[in-house]
Amino acid sequence: MKEQAENEKRARGETVTVGILTLGCKVNQYESEAISEKCREYGLTPQDPSLPCDIYIVNSCSVTAEADRKSCQMIRRLLSRNPDAAMIVTGCSAQREAERIAGIPGVGYVVGNATKLRCSKICSDIFEGRLPAHPVPPVIEAGSIDDASFEPMRITGYPRTRHCIKIEDGCENRCSYCAIPDGRGRVRSKPAEEAVEEALDLCRGGCREIVLTGIEIASYGRDTGGSLAGLLSELDSECAGFGTRFRLSSVPPDLFSDEFVDRISRLRSLAPHFHISMQSASDRILRLMRRHYSSADAYAAIEKLRKSIPGVMFSADIIVGFPGESPGDFSDTLDFVRDTKLIHTHIFPFSRREGTPAASMPGQIPNDEKKRRAALLAVTAQRSRDEALSDYISSGMTADVLLERASGGMLRGHSGNFVEFSIEGPAELKGRIVEVRPMSVDGGMCIGELAEDAAGI
């Protein structure tokens, strides 16, 4: 019946609609957009997955057990709304648990992380009648990812002033709590020349901030002989004429060697904000997590960057309630968040992932205690942010703010150091980077005014 409806569509010269639902990280978001572009190239019509679609693609996440559960929940929810739709599932859940995903009634195709663009080709083949919409049994294309290469993938256009470029895939750290290496495989890097070409296309299209993202971007170039600092230098040189800035996604504190900091401090286009994948500030817990740095490394890196890059700001990921985390261990983390004056702290109660070493460690923390510690850390994080913003205003520095939204005579956006701003100004400034003077703080946001030379634009 479904195939007959699609044959009728083809006969009328209509196209098939494809709804892509993305769960999880910025890497998944980027990959979904690349799949969407490929669908357009095949003559298909991507649309909001909340609408009835002929085909659904669910780009799943497996970072926690809850993420896996939500991925399966969303697959079932979409199919319950439109039982006749074809269903393709990709992403980390599809890679790690292909058979289980294929067992969900209505799922037709399961595609692993090594060849995500296959999703768009499958959509085209379904539309053209080369593949069935509902194969029995479901088709699984999720083999071993251990020897995968970097999948050629790029975005040519995007209707926003901020965009991501995926420069790296995979992770080899094997942290004791993490299952992502099983879903993403070893480190693979996008060739530098391809990353630069993609960035130039986005710059020409009006993108004014590009976030370099990946599963573990600090490892960029490990497989090719390149380096993250080298790529940043190339981007800084090649894209200098567009006024576009580059931002790094999450990085560990041990990335910031003296040589790395010296190189990036010379760049004109690198945003002065670093999101530190810290996880804990207890050295004992860091060892249990199999992280490759100490709290002293993190304090030293932040101090080094503050001396080298004016106005630099920091945010961090923190896991609370890791197995065996004592009150003293947790106190070390509270001290770190307070002392480093983070502007954002992303707090995650520890989530057990079956099959990881941390899942069977002794000293599992009760959920109520994890929630209590998370709430206490959130209070400390808010005070840390408020103090950082107060110091920023007192410094007298102006901010380069990318204005992303305009409504009712007000504009909102983020500075290079990732402070959120609200200012009065004309809507014509949306999409531009302007100089703003911070004046006060309201609910974690800076209230600013256009600097004199920006006000006349």
Side-chain angles (χ1 to χ4, degrees), residues 82-148:
N82 190 4
D84 289 334
M87 174 62 72
I88 303 167
V89 183
T90 188
C92 288
S93 289
Q95 179 65 46
R96 293 184 67 247
E97 300 188 66
E99 294 287 347
R100 183 171 69 87
I101 296 296
I104 298 174
V107 171
Y109 297 86
V110 181
V111 179
N113 275 332
T115 55
K116 275 189 166 177
L117 290 180
R118 270 284 296 157
C119 294
S120 50
K121 182 62 166 63
I122 291 170
C123 290
S124 175
D125 287 346
I126 290 172
F127 176 48
E128 296 294 339
R130 293 185 290 268
L131 286 175
H134 303 283
V136 179
V139 176
I140 297 177
E141 299 183 14
S144 172
I145 200 168
D146 292 340
D147 297 320

Side-chain angles (χ1 to χ4, degrees), residues 176-191:
S176 64
Y177 53 84
C178 184
I180 292 304
D182 295 332
R184 285 288 178 171
R186 63 180 178 81
V187 169
R188 292 99 71 199
S189 304
K190 191 183 193 82

Side-chain angles (χ1 to χ4, degrees), residues 141-421:
E141 299 183 14
S144 172
I145 200 168
D146 292 340
D147 297 320
S149 57
F150 190 90
E151 185 176 12
M153 189 180 286
R154 67 184 293 174
I155 304 298
T156 58
Y158 200 63
R160 294 182 186 172
T161 51
R162 176 188 289 125
H163 188 47
C164 294
I165 292 179
K166 175 186 163 185
I167 63 168
E168 181 273 344
D169 206 340
C171 181
E172 298 168 30
N173 289 333
R174 291 287 171 183
C175 298
S176 64
Y177 53 84
C178 184
I180 292 304
D182 295 332
R184 285 288 178 171
R186 63 180 178 81
V187 169
R188 292 99 71 199
S189 304
K190 191 183 193 82
E193 60 273 16
E194 294 181 16
V196 171
E197 288 174 7
E198 186 171 7
L200 283 169
D201 278 348
L202 291 171
C203 289
R204 294 184 188 109
C207 183
R208 290 299 166 255
E209 181 172 299
I210 295 174
V211 181
L212 303 182
T213 193
I215 302 302
E216 223 282 299
I217 64 168
S219 296
Y220 176 84
R222 177 186 295 176
D223 55 323
T224 61
S227 70
L228 182 57
L231 176 60
L232 287 169
S233 295
E234 286 192 54
L235 291 168
D236 191 65
S237 173
E238 295 296 327
C239 302
F242 294 96
T244 298
R245 66 189 180 207
F246 294 88
R247 189 182 299 281
L248 296 180
S249 59
S250 179
V251 290
D254 54 342
L255 171 67
F256 299 104
S257 65
D258 290 345
E259 179 186 1
F260 184 83
V261 172
D262 181 62
R263 290 188 70 177
I264 66 171
S265 66
R266 303 171 190 270
L267 304 179
R268 298 159 292 177
S269 62
L270 182 63
H273 166 259
F274 299 98
H275 184 76
I276 307 297
S277 180
M278 188 67 195
Q279 313 308 353
S280 174
S282 160
D283 289 342
R284 190 178 71 85
I285 295 300
L286 288 171
R287 287 192 295 271
L288 289 173
M289 289 178 168
R290 298 182 185 170
R291 303 295 284 178
H292 303 297
Y293 52 83
S294 67
S295 59
D297 294 331
Y299 279 111
I302 289 173
E303 182 64 22
K304 194 184 308 178
L305 287 161
R306 282 186 167 140
K307 288 180 178 178
S308 302
I309 302 176
V312 67
M313 293 279 194
F314 300 93
S315 54
D317 289 331
I318 300 291
I319 295 173
V320 298
F322 190 82
E325 183 185 62
S326 69
D329 296 322
F330 179 60
S331 181
D332 288 343
T333 297
L334 288 174
D335 290 345
F336 175 83
V337 171
R338 183 188 64 245
D339 295 344
T340 53
K341 298 182 182 180
L342 304 176
I343 58 164
H344 297 288
T345 305
H346 297 179
I347 303 167
F348 303 92
F350 170 72
S351 174
R352 297 175 74 165
R353 299 297 284 118
E354 292 304 321
T356 63
S360 57
M361 283 182 178
Q364 299 287 331
I365 307 296
N367 286 335
D368 286 349
E369 177 60 15
K370 285 189 281 191
K371 290 178 182 178
R372 188 192 72 82
R373 293 183 189 184
L376 183 57
L377 181 57
V379 172
T380 301
Q382 181 177 330
R383 291 171 180 163
S384 174
R385 179 200 64 199
D386 291 346
E387 190 171 349
L389 294 178
S390 178
D391 289 349
Y392 186 42
I393 292 172
S394 299
S395 73
M397 295 180 66
T398 57
D400 53 338
V401 178
L402 174 59
L403 299 173
E404 303 159 73
R405 301 181 300 281
S407 177
M410 300 298 295
L411 295 139
R412 292 177 70 166
H414 289 82
S415 62
N417 52 15
F418 212 57
V419 175
E420 188 174 9
F421 273 84

